[in-house]
Amino acid sequence: MDLALRKPSEIVKLLCERLRKERLTQQMTQADIAARAGIGVNTVSNLESGRNVGFENLVRVAMVLGRGKELEALFMPQIDSLDDLLRYEKNTDRQRVKRSANDGQ
């Protein structure tokens, strides 16, 4: 399934459905997840419903469900060549992106 062709709201809905199914597959209640993640049951319910929940809470729930590996892969750099690797390593020290004189015009 190519998420690049979907709207952000569709991706959120899909991920919320997957989260709920994963919880049910592991035979856990929302209360079980909440207790193990150190968050409220309403937070788990809101997360499964796609309502605004903090990113840290999403991470906590994902970890309880054993999905740490997926979190690790979330913002991994795409390195296809040695040049990509060198560029990535060089840019890790950089704090800001410098704009050229033509940006914003």
Side-chain angles (χ1 to χ4, degrees):
M1 175 178 311
D2 189 359
L3 296 182
L5 302 175
R6 294 182 177 247
K7 297 177 187 174
S9 61
E10 293 172 334
I11 295 171
V12 168
K13 182 178 179 182
L14 175 68
L15 293 177
C16 292
E17 290 171 4
R18 287 182 182 175
L19 170 65
R20 182 176 179 277
K21 287 178 184 176
E22 180 67 22
R23 176 180 60 79
L24 294 172
T25 298
Q26 294 190 26
Q27 298 180 338
M28 298 178 80
T29 66
Q30 288 181 342
D32 293 335
I33 295 288
R36 292 182 62 188
I39 58 178
V41 176
N42 285 340
T43 301
V44 176
S45 176
N46 287 342
L47 188 54
E48 288 185 2
S49 299
R51 292 189 285 274
N52 193 12
V53 175
F55 191 69
E56 182 177 344
N57 291 327
L58 173 65
V59 169
R60 288 173 179 259
V61 170
M63 291 175 70
V64 166
L65 292 172
R67 296 305 187 132
K69 290 286 185 191
E70 288 86 344
L71 293 174
E72 285 181 33
L74 187 56
F75 292 110
M76 290 295 293
Q78 292 183 341
I79 298 176
D80 298 320
S81 68
L82 183 57
D83 288 337
D84 290 343
L85 177 61
L86 294 173
R87 190 171 26 261
Y88 176 74
E89 288 178 351
K90 178 182 172 190
N91 289 333
T92 56
D93 295 334
R94 206 168 163 182
Q95 297 296 316
R96 296 184 185 180
V97 175
K98 296 186 181 187
R99 299 186 184 270
S100 67
N102 295 332
D103 282 354
Q105 293 178 351

